[in-house]
Amino acid sequence: MKPNPKLSRPARRAVLVVHVTASASWLGLSLGLLALGTTAASSGSAVTVETSVRAMRLFADWLLIPVALLTLLSGLVLSLGTVWGLARYRWVYTKFWLTLATTTATVFALRPGVNSAVTAVAAGGPLPDAGDVLFGPVVSLSAYVFMTAISVMKPWGRTRRGKRTSGFA
């Protein structure tokens, strides 16, 4: 079995900067969404609720998906182009699957929940369910903080595959 081609040092550093920046952006967007969702869920002002959920929709429609995909793509390039590999270390494998899961949840749960909240509030009704604007940001923020922590600590060691291919690392 031939080892994966590795990125040159300048290429690895460039991709790492992109990955860290995109990941930090995703975490920041989630924190912003949580602040807006909390404001919408706790405000007694219809104008404040509508403004908050409309701002959430801007984040969800224009920023979250590109940032999520950039994070996923740059993480894949880093894992496949460095000694870490995609399935050699448990922490890398865990980050990959969590990133894939949170990207999917953003597309199929968070965005539709925010959009339904905007539709209801724009029609003059109350916020239908505070969970629509709070649950997604809470879950995603928790996942991103966890992924940041395991990126720094690199726990758990190698996977079975990583142990078999240790000569290539």
Side-chain angles (χ1 to χ4, degrees):
M1 180 184 262
K2 189 176 179 182
N4 292 338
K6 300 300 175 219
L7 295 170
S8 68
R9 185 175 182 178
R12 180 185 54 81
R13 285 181 167 185
V15 175
L16 183 60
V17 167
V18 168
H19 183 67
V20 170
T21 302
S23 299
S25 297
W26 204 2
L27 191 133
L29 283 168
S30 295
L31 189 58
L33 285 169
L34 181 58
L36 289 167
T38 301
T39 300
S42 63
S43 177
S45 164
V47 172
T48 301
V49 172
E50 184 173 358
T51 302
S52 297
V53 295
R54 284 184 183 275
M56 289 182 78
R57 183 166 65 182
L58 285 173
F59 281 15
D61 286 350
W62 293 99
L63 296 172
L64 279 178
I65 300 304
V67 167
L69 293 175
L70 185 58
T71 301
L72 185 62
L73 178 65
S74 61
L76 276 172
V77 170
L78 279 173
S79 66
L80 297 174
T82 65
V83 298
W84 294 110
L86 183 59
R88 287 185 188 156
Y89 291 87
R90 288 183 181 95
W91 70 271
V92 176
Y93 199 64
T94 301
K95 276 186 62 178
F96 169 73
W97 287 107
L98 275 174
T99 301
L100 195 59
T102 52
T103 300
T104 302
T106 296
V107 172
F108 295 109
L110 188 138
R111 286 182 70 220
V114 168
N115 287 332
S116 71
V118 170
T119 301
V121 170
L127 188 64
D129 182 8
D132 285 346
V133 295
L134 289 174
F135 184 72
V138 166
V139 170
S140 60
L141 187 61
S142 300
Y144 307 143
V145 168
F146 175 72
M147 287 189 275
T148 300
I150 66 174
S151 294
V152 171
M153 294 184 287
K154 297 173 180 45
W156 309 316
R158 293 179 180 261
T159 62
R160 272 188 248 156
R161 181 183 188 284
K163 289 175 185 171
R164 283 195 313 265
T165 61
S166 62
F168 297 127

